[in-house]
Amino acid sequence: MSEVNEVKKIAVIAGDGIGPEVVAEAEKVLKRTEELFGHKFETEHALFGGIAIDERGTPLPDDTLAICKASDAVLLGAVGGPKWDNNSKELRPETGLLGIRKALGLFSNIRPAVIFDCLKEASTLKPEVLEGTDLIVVRELTGGIYFGEKFRRETENGQEAVDTCVYNVSEIERIARQAFEIALTRSKKLTSVDKANVLETSRLWRETVIRISADYPDVELDHVLVDNCAMQLLRRPSSFDVIVTENMFGDILSDEAAMLTGSIGMLSSASLGEGSFGLYEPVHGSAPDIAGQGISNPIATILSVALMFRLTFGYHEAAASIERAVKNVLDAGHRTGDIAVDKSSAIGTTAMGDLIVAAMSK
Ligand code: IPM
Ligand code: MG
């Protein structure tokens, strides 16, 4: 646990699209936290993603990585946009994202999907199906098909492309342990998702998760095939608590789970490694279509700060203060356009940030 007035270094990566707007609001929350709780933060801004490609010719400049490595945590807005979509692989924001995850050893990605009662009407699912949904997807982030060997080759039938999916036991063990630990802090229920009826990596995954489960006798473990999981998430989302799965399945299922809540603009995420270091970012993307208009929803980024306080700094009181402020502002009826039923009454990014800052209290 950290000392109250130890200075915490936070690397701030605003990124592309709406990234800078939402990060600016999160920085106001950091400042207000200092005033209210006496914590001290030192922020350093770094270039990353499309803007880094434009200004430095690479999505992940070395000094950005160095700033991140010298920090206690990273706050990331969003990266990417149509401007860079047709670039070669080295000059794509996504390549920077995969690179930073690998370089910082962030093997675990945690994405909570929780229904905010006052936003139930924003979901595409019926309220009675959603009732009680509060789940976390724990996604393996630095292995599998994302990082396996990729190449093309000429064959007698024309060109062929190959993506390899590789997992070793230790990669599976560490993510499994982390998921069991998270399950212990919640309702002690863990669902491991794989495709063990087809894939060898999934069979190793399942065997390994079962072996690790011996160390967590209090956690109830079950195994669900990924296709079935995708279906059950729509049918009975409240039956899940913690889901642990490999990189690619986690990518897909975490988007599905996020969208259940109808509030992708509200959801935060953490990418963690072995220690307390973490990278925190909203689940939503850079939303280039609304960038620069001041209408984006800063709540996911603000809640990512709360997640940072909890998981990296152990500042639980300050985290609760942010979460409470968000709830109060929403309960008072304030909405940005993405979550407003009556769009004409929607407020802008800075107005939402200001309301949340004003609602924070000790
Ligand atoms: C995510 C994104 C990334 C991923 C893309 C942008 C490379 O979809 O963080 O989920 O697939 O991991
Ligand atoms: Mg994704």
Side-chain angles (χ1 to χ4, degrees):
M1 183 71 71
S2 329
E3 289 300 314
V4 166
N5 43 20
E6 187 184 326
V7 178
K8 297 294 186 191
K9 284 191 174 175
I10 303 174
V12 177
I13 296 176
D16 309 315
I18 61 170
E21 307 165 20
V22 292
V23 161
E25 301 312 308
E27 290 193 84
K28 289 186 195 163
V29 166
L30 285 176
K31 192 157 175 294
R32 185 68 183 136
T33 305
E34 294 186 316
E35 292 163 4
L36 281 173
F37 294 91
H39 299 311
K40 292 195 178 65
F41 304 110
E42 190 182 300
T43 53
E44 186 161 3
H45 285 248
L47 279 181
F48 181 64
I51 185 171
I53 295 171
D54 289 352
E55 293 190 16
R56 307 287 288 284
T58 169
L60 176 54
D62 289 342
D63 53 336
T64 293
L65 201 52
I67 291 170
C68 293
K69 284 185 173 164
S71 301
D72 300 300
V74 181
L75 179 66
L76 174 67
V79 292
K83 183 173 176 197
W84 306 281
D85 275 353
N86 298 317
N87 284 7
S88 64
K89 187 175 156 231
E90 296 68 39
L91 293 179
R92 292 184 63 112
E94 293 84 352
T95 305
L97 200 54
L98 299 187
I100 204 170
R101 288 171 181 170
K102 195 72 166 181
L104 298 174
L106 304 170
F107 63 83
S108 155
N109 182 235
I110 295 171
R111 294 188 183 179
V114 44
I115 307 289
F116 291 81
D117 269 340
C118 57
L119 297 178
K120 265 192 206 147
E121 73 277 14
S123 175
T124 49
L125 292 199
K126 297 189 189 111
E128 63 268 29
V129 176
L130 290 171
E131 195 62 48
T133 296
D134 177 0
L135 63 91
I136 290 188
V137 179
V138 180
R139 165 188 175 192
E140 200 291 326
L141 202 59
T142 52
I145 202 163
Y146 273 64
F147 290 91
E149 206 188 336
K150 307 177 189 309
F151 57 92
R152 296 206 188 181
R153 62 188 166 207
E154 299 304 326
T155 73
E156 55 196 27
N157 299 317
Q159 209 177 52
E160 208 169 67
V162 181
D163 289 292
T164 45
C165 183
V166 181
Y167 268 109
N168 63 46
V169 170
S170 64
E171 286 171 322
I172 304 169
E173 280 176 354
R174 63 185 183 182
I175 189 76
R177 284 196 188 282
Q178 203 169 81
F180 276 109
E181 293 290 337
I182 293 171
L184 278 178
T185 68
R186 295 174 48 104
S187 59
K188 301 189 172 57
K189 211 171 148 287
L190 178 64
T191 303
S192 173
V193 173
D194 60 35
K195 188 73 186 172
N197 53 347
V198 177
L199 300 178
E200 204 50 44
T201 41
S202 280
R203 288 191 268 269
L204 182 65
W205 179 279
R206 195 177 282 212
E207 271 167 45
T208 307
V209 172
I210 290 174
R211 185 164 42 71
I212 297 296
S213 72
D215 294 341
Y216 298 89
D218 294 340
V219 177
E220 181 195 330
L221 170 69
D222 67 343
H223 305 273
V224 175
L225 296 172
V226 62
D227 47 349
N228 187 25
C229 180
M231 182 181 83
Q232 299 298 344
L233 272 173
L234 294 182
R235 199 166 71 148
R236 278 184 302 124
S238 63
S239 68
F240 293 100
D241 193 66
V242 181
I243 292 174
V244 63
T245 190
E246 62 112 272
N247 204 345
M248 176 81 142
F249 300 158
D251 178 46
I252 299 165
L253 294 178
S254 62
D255 264 28
E256 187 187 357
M259 210 50 218
L260 288 178
T261 69
S263 47
I264 196 149
M266 306 279 299
L267 300 173
S268 55
S269 77
S271 299
L272 305 171
E274 291 293 358
S276 62
F277 180 86
L279 180 150
Y280 298 84
E281 60 179 316
V283 166
H284 63 69
S286 60
D289 51 323
I290 59 163
Q293 299 176 33
I295 58 171
S296 58
N297 184 350
I299 294 181
T301 314
I302 288 172
L303 290 174
S304 297
V305 172
L307 204 56
M308 177 192 291
F309 287 178
R310 283 195 192 285
L311 301 181
T312 291
F313 302 147
Y315 293 165
H316 297 283
E317 254 187 276
S321 160
I322 297 173
E323 290 157 357
R324 226 176 23 243
V326 168
K327 184 174 183 301
N328 289 345
V329 168
L330 291 172
D331 284 348
H334 304 292
R335 303 279 189 275
T336 42
D338 58 317
I339 51 173
V341 175
D342 168 17
K343 305 283 176 205
S344 68
S345 67
I347 61 171
T349 314
T350 51
M352 180 55 96
D354 290 342
L355 282 167
I356 293 169
V357 166
M360 282 172 68
S361 62
K362 248 190 126 158

